[in-house]
Amino acid sequence: MLMFGRMEAYKGLEVLCDAMEIFLREGGEGTLHIAGAGPELDRLEGRFRSLPSVDVTNRFLPAAEIIDKMGACDGLVLPYLSATQSGVLSAAFANGRFVVASRVGGIVDVVQDGVNGLLVEPNDAGSLARALSRLSGDPGLRERLRAGALETARARLDWSKIAAKMISEYQ
């Protein structure tokens, strides 16, 4: 799994750290990659680095490097505490990657639980850890969610389709 971007408090990085501690304590297997920069990662970097199978890149990454990191993972984790929308979510789907995301803001307008991602309650490390465990133990689920994410990108997030819909509604 991958989490990337500007690491601010609303992104729920501390919830992710708590969830990874639960996940690993309960025998979960899988790697978490965290890439980006910001005050929350600065504050929590030591805790993340103390966890096995967590890789931290604490710096701004150019787009090409983010695309490479996305290509190397199954999905992205968005444990946001609040959000109106997410460019990270759109990027994930465009690259055929599902998300595990908090049930907040505009995220629930795009993520269909069990179709293109998994939704968890915000600020609930246990819920997030359970979702990660479910994914860890079910490669078929990961593949179905990836297919659903790509289909969502093609059907709902394609700019030509969005523009055509807007034009038809304003004519």
Side-chain angles (χ1 to χ4, degrees):
M1 298 295 291
L2 170 67
M3 181 176 184
F4 79 91
R6 177 84 180 142
M7 300 299 174
E8 299 287 345
Y10 80 91
K11 296 272 182 102
L13 203 58
E14 188 162 17
V15 175
L16 178 58
C17 192
D18 293 343
M20 281 303 292
E21 288 170 346
I22 295 166
F23 172 76
L24 293 168
R25 186 172 51 246
E26 294 179 355
E29 293 183 12
T31 302
L32 171 65
H33 301 275
I34 300 173
E40 279 299 282
L41 186 54
D42 292 343
R43 183 174 74 83
L44 296 166
E45 184 173 3
R47 273 185 68 195
F48 276 113
R49 288 195 184 277
S50 73
L51 298 172
S53 69
V54 175
D55 172 60
V56 178
T57 304
N58 187 349
R59 63 179 170 80
F60 172 81
L61 279 76
E65 200 170 340
I66 289 293
I67 291 169
D68 287 345
K69 285 192 176 292
M70 259 196 266
C73 73
D74 285 322
L76 279 74
V77 60
L78 289 73
Y80 296 177
L81 304 177
S82 66
T84 53
Q85 58 79 36
S86 172
V88 170
L89 171 61
S90 298
F93 283 4
N95 284 279
R97 298 302 183 259
F98 63 83
V99 298
V100 176
S102 298
R103 198 180 306 271
V104 296
I107 289 173
V108 297
D109 296 331
V110 181
V111 178
Q112 294 173 276
D113 190 51
V115 175
N116 55 18
L118 298 178
L119 289 170
V120 301
E121 294 308 311
N123 205 19
D124 185 342
S127 176
L128 181 55
R130 285 187 297 279
L132 295 173
S133 291
R134 184 174 166 206
L135 289 164
S136 175
D138 192 341
L141 174 61
R142 293 192 305 269
E143 191 55 40
R144 286 190 306 278
L145 293 176
R146 283 178 65 171
L150 195 54
E151 178 56 30
T152 299
R154 289 180 182 149
R156 295 185 54 208
L157 302 177
D158 179 273
W159 280 111
S160 61
K161 291 179 183 177
I162 292 169
K165 184 176 179 184
M166 284 188 71
I167 289 168
S168 73
E169 290 186 15
Y170 286 98
Q171 286 185 335

